[in-house]
Amino acid sequence: MQTENGLTAVVDDRYLRTASNPRYSVRLPMPNGALAQNEAYFFLEEDGQRKKIRFHDYDEIYLRPGLYEQLFYDRLKCESPTRMAEWLSKAVNDAGERTQSLRVLDLGAGNGMMGQALAKEGVARLVGVDILPEAKMATERDRPGLYDAYFAGDLTQSKSDLLTELSEWKFDCLTTVAALGFGDIPTMAFINAYNAIEKGGWVAFNIRDTFLSQEDDTGFSVLIRAVLLSQKMELHRMIRYRHRYSIDGEPLYYYGIVGRKRSNLTTDVANG
Ligand SMILES: C[S@@+](CC[C@H](N)C(=O)[O-])C[C@H]1O[C@@H](n2cnc3c(N)ncnc32)[C@H](O)[C@@H]1O
């Protein structure tokens, strides 16, 4: 690029903020080891103002194209969608079946990062659900046509028009990535989504490693331990891996779990 004084400036276009490649001025706060994962936040400098945004303020993040990717994928090196889609595909292939025939319900789909990884594996149908209308809007804006259908809705009620509509897709696979625990998807929504897939269908989800500890008695932790120990799911893969880094640069380890549904979950499973 030629500057006013005739010198040639080297521009690293990864940091140019354009419509197709927006970069944001994101600053992380001073290290504070006391913050829980769901309390983490960053500052966004925008239009001369500094705004504090929590990691869980997904609506604020999705409103800005590319901010989610810049923060979680470029900076904090999130690997989960790619890893989970690969492990699902391998488990399906090892069972002598084809990933390309899967009809997938992606719960907590966000702006489509998992959908993108599943599309790479070539699944047959892809339907997303997220509680936030901003997530649906961001997916349609940034990844148009990725999902065959995308619903902004709540699955916590066992009987709803949304669940009836979902049942028509005859799902044989449920994915939910980076969305369980920490106040995200409640146990009832997971149970209803699990029950919406066919018997024998595939299930792929990830959870923070600490959720499997007996000391954690939050609803989700109890539910997942019960699912793993019950006969309601047949376990095919359980892999501990680095999900991403924390804002203080510490690796956050998760378990990636792939299994096959044997039977429906009941609410008492969540109660231990
Ligand atoms: C960290 S994002 C993960 C998005 C995506 N799966 C990915 O891997 O990038 C968590 C998502 O879960 C969604 N979520 C939280 N509670 C939910 C609920 N009750 N039902 C559906 N989605 C929910 C949030 O809106 C958010 O989009």
Side-chain angles (χ1 to χ4, degrees):
M1 187 174 88
Q2 200 78 9
T3 59
E4 276 174 17
N5 59 11
L7 295 173
T8 303
V10 179
V11 175
D12 183 342
D13 63 8
R14 285 175 306 159
Y15 297 100
L16 277 184
R17 192 169 157 189
T18 63
S20 61
N21 182 22
R23 301 296 308 185
Y24 296 88
S25 176
V26 166
R27 313 233 179 257
L28 298 181
M30 275 188 274
N32 176 354
L35 280 187
Q37 191 173 325
N38 54 344
E39 293 168 346
Y41 62 90
F42 62 99
F43 295 108
L44 180 69
E45 284 172 21
E46 197 175 55
D47 305 326
Q49 294 199 331
R50 170 179 274 220
K51 190 166 185 173
K52 178 177 167 178
I53 302 181
R54 290 182 323 131
F55 277 24
H56 278 218
D57 294 336
Y58 297 119
D59 50 348
E60 286 281 352
I61 297 175
Y62 293 145
L63 283 174
R64 297 164 172 84
L67 178 56
Y68 185 83
E69 290 84 340
Q70 182 179 333
L71 183 65
F72 292 105
Y73 289 83
D74 298 351
R75 184 138 189 192
L76 301 175
K77 307 289 177 221
C78 178
E79 297 192 354
S80 286
T82 317
R83 298 274 201 130
M84 291 302 303
E86 277 173 15
W87 291 329
L88 169 65
S89 191
K90 282 198 180 117
V92 171
N93 296 159
D94 285 354
E97 297 176 18
R98 294 168 58 249
T99 316
Q100 292 76 12
S101 68
L102 290 181
R103 297 178 299 277
V104 186
L105 170 60
D106 185 24
L107 175 64
N111 64 351
M113 300 302 283
M114 183 59 186
Q116 195 166 291
L118 287 165
K120 266 198 195 142
E121 301 293 334
V123 300
R125 294 287 185 285
L126 190 50
V127 173
V129 173
D130 199 286
I131 193 103
L132 290 177
E134 289 85 354
K136 176 173 156 66
M137 182 271 294
T139 305
E140 287 167 355
R141 178 194 62 208
D142 302 338
R143 295 178 178 79
L146 178 63
Y147 289 87
D148 297 299
Y150 193 116
F151 301 93
D154 186 358
L155 293 185
T156 47
Q157 299 305 318
S158 300
K159 287 193 173 37
S160 66
D161 291 347
L162 177 53
L163 274 173
T164 306
E165 188 156 359
L166 290 176
S167 70
E168 288 166 21
W169 286 89
K170 308 205 178 323
F171 296 115
D172 57 8
C173 181
L174 169 68
T175 59
T176 178
V177 170
L180 300 180
F182 298 112
D184 278 341
I185 295 176
T187 49
M188 255 337 281
F190 180 80
I191 290 173
N192 286 332
Y194 186 97
N195 292 349
I197 65 165
E198 292 176 353
K199 200 173 156 201
W202 292 90
V203 186
F205 59 92
N206 66 346
I207 44 161
R208 181 86 194 258
D209 59 353
T210 50
F211 280 9
L212 292 190
S213 140
Q214 290 289 350
E215 286 142 35
D216 189 330
D217 59 0
T218 54
F220 220 91
S221 186
V222 174
L223 171 71
I224 294 303
R225 286 203 299 270
V227 169
L228 291 176
L229 294 175
S230 70
Q231 298 298 308
K232 294 176 188 297
M233 192 185 84
E234 179 184 273
L235 187 60
H236 282 243
R237 290 270 192 298
M238 184 163 164
I239 302 170
R240 189 171 181 270
Y241 72 103
R242 195 192 67 225
H243 159 62
R244 65 169 170 82
Y245 289 99
S246 75
I247 54 171
D248 293 333
E250 296 301 326
L252 298 176
Y253 290 103
Y254 274 53
Y255 284 108
I257 293 167
V258 180
R260 275 195 112 141
K261 169 174 168 177
R262 280 200 176 124
S263 58
N264 278 354
L265 297 176
T266 45
T267 45
D268 56 309
V269 173
N271 301 325

